Amino acid sequence: MLKKKLMLATTAFFVLSSSAMADQIADIKAKGTLVCGTLGTAEPFSFPNPQTREIQGHDVDYCKAIADSLGVKLELKLISVAARIPELQQNRIDIIAANLGYTPERAEQIAFSNAYYTSLQKVAARHSSGFKSPADLSGKRVSAPKGSTSEIAVRQAIPGATTMTFQDPPAAFLAMQQGKVEGFAVSELMLVKFQQQSAQTSPIDILEPALSNEYWGLGMRKNEPAFIKHVNGVLDNMEKSGKAEQVFNKWLGPNTAYGLKRGYKIEPIKG
């Protein structure tokens, strides 16, 4: 009798678990909002509008596309680089759109969507330092956002460097400008922006070659197969319709301060 009760309880558990998995999209629709975790400090991906102070940017537009596809409102939750995965695992957000680069270690913890952006990780130094390449920073101190793939890239590409981590990119950049570190590692686009901002006061050089090539995905919980499939469907449709290129050009294209040309397409990440 006891064995039968245990079997029934086990069966009920798996039924409830499967039901919870299948109902993720239904849950989002029921509450009427998609909670998207984003950084809020990473221009042009997610940052405050100078006039309205509302968070806007490339990643925010992707969050909005997912919310619109579900017929719900978008709710942005600002998170730090280090808190991205914990916030998702603790069910405080539904999805991550926060400069989240793919790594095998992260893929063990969460599910990644198809790559919606490809980023070069690079390192910069003060112009006055005279450094010409990342190798010149061997034995030196290099700052990076805590928990970022930039931090990982420094450890792998400049093994002799001492990596010092900070809460966000602006803090890591300031550490270099204040002389606390000799180099600063982050995505190429952020470095371009920091280079422009500091050109007249304390110029920096972006060192070549790049440390690594990074594929960004939207982060989701692994036990949400229907939601994962839906998100990838939205991304694929954005690519086919030209919407993905429009979003890129809006924030990063020829008529922006970055002047970049999109040289990639949305496609599955080959981990």
Side-chain angles (χ1 to χ4, degrees):
M1 184 68 179
L2 179 60
K3 184 177 180 180
K4 185 176 181 181
K5 287 182 177 179
L6 287 172
M7 290 177 65
L8 287 172
T10 301
T11 300
F13 171 79
F14 283 114
V15 168
L16 287 171
S17 298
S18 298
S19 175
M21 289 167 57
D23 286 343
Q24 174 64 19
I25 292 177
D27 289 344
I28 292 172
K29 290 183 176 181
K31 65 182 179 181
T33 58
L34 173 78
V35 183
C36 184
T38 196
L39 298 179
T41 57
E43 188 176 353
F45 298 99
S46 57
F47 65 103
N49 180 293
Q51 282 74 45
T52 67
R53 307 309 298 169
E54 291 184 359
I55 301 300
Q56 62 181 10
H58 178 277
D59 283 3
V60 175
D61 283 358
Y62 274 90
C63 290
K64 185 67 165 58
I66 303 299
D68 288 347
S69 73
L70 294 169
V72 298
K73 294 180 180 179
L74 173 62
E75 177 184 335
L76 296 175
K77 181 173 183 181
L78 304 189
I79 54 179
S80 68
V81 170
R84 291 175 297 187
I85 291 177
E87 287 285 311
L88 184 69
Q89 292 174 325
Q90 293 166 18
N91 296 328
R92 292 174 180 165
I93 56 177
D94 298 313
I95 192 168
I96 304 170
N99 303 38
L100 185 68
Y102 173 91
T103 67
E105 294 75 20
R106 287 175 179 169
E108 291 180 359
Q109 303 176 67
I110 64 171
F112 278 81
S113 72
N114 294 343
Y116 71 101
Y117 181 76
T118 301
S119 170
L120 293 177
Q121 297 300 301
K122 293 189 175 183
V123 64
R126 295 186 302 279
H127 179 73
S128 59
S129 70
F131 296 128
K132 302 300 182 184
S133 74
D136 294 338
L137 290 167
S138 181
K140 308 297 183 182
R141 299 163 298 177
V142 180
S143 65
K146 185 178 181 180
S148 68
T149 46
S150 303
E151 176 188 352
I152 297 170
V154 172
R155 298 185 193 281
Q156 293 178 340
I158 320 174
T162 298
T163 307
M164 297 181 66
T165 60
F166 294 81
Q167 190 68 16
D168 54 37
F173 174 69
L174 183 61
M176 182 182 70
Q177 294 296 65
Q178 293 177 337
K180 296 177 181 178
V181 298
E182 286 73 44
F184 164 50
V186 75
S187 71
E188 178 185 33
L189 285 173
M190 286 192 190
L191 283 181
V192 169
K193 193 67 176 180
F194 284 125
Q195 187 179 50
Q196 293 170 348
Q197 293 173 348
S198 62
Q200 302 302 320
T201 55
S202 182
I204 66 172
D205 294 330
I206 299 175
L207 309 184
E208 299 291 349
L211 301 180
S212 66
N213 202 26
E214 178 183 78
Y215 301 98
W216 292 8
L218 302 173
M220 295 161 283
R221 287 181 286 278
K222 280 192 167 186
N223 63 342
E224 300 169 0
F227 185 50
I228 295 167
K229 181 179 179 180
H230 178 85
V231 168
N232 280 329
V234 173
L235 295 180
D236 290 343
N237 287 336
M238 290 179 70
E239 182 64 48
K240 292 174 184 176
S241 68
K243 177 67 174 178
E245 186 161 5
Q246 290 175 14
V247 172
F248 179 93
N249 287 336
K250 176 182 176 182
W251 299 106
L252 305 163
N255 295 323
T256 69
Y258 303 96
L260 298 182
K261 182 177 181 181
R262 187 171 181 254
Y264 60 89
K265 291 186 177 181
I266 292 174
E267 57 186 6
I269 297 173
K270 299 177 178 64

